[in-house]
Amino acid sequence: GKMAQDMTEKELLKMELDQLKKEVKNERQMVSKTAKELKEYIEAKAGEDPLLKGVPEDKNPFKEKGGCTIS
């Protein structure tokens, strides 16, 4: 597709209208309800979250393979 700066105003407005047509179909829910569900989901999964509990050295694909010496 074209970059936004290369588009005419008409093309930009059409793109925005297409996006709004998609968004209007989204089912809306109260934040008070979804925030509670989100919190419960996060707390239920916290035990297996590597960002919270870390990654064991033997399972870490990014650990240093070996040092580097400069002579």
Side-chain angles (χ1 to χ4, degrees), residues 7-22:
M7 296 171 78
T8 64
E9 189 175 355
K10 184 181 175 194
E11 287 172 316
L12 286 168
L13 289 170
K14 185 187 179 316
M15 208 166 84
E16 187 176 351
L17 184 63
D18 290 343
Q19 181 62 34
L20 291 170
K21 282 178 184 174
K22 287 178 198 162

Side-chain angles (χ1 to χ4, degrees), residues 3 19 21 24 31 38 43 45 51 68:
M3 299 296 282
Q19 181 62 34
K21 282 178 184 174
V24 80
V31 171
L38 190 57
E43 286 171 351
K45 301 279 185 190
L51 293 175
C68 150

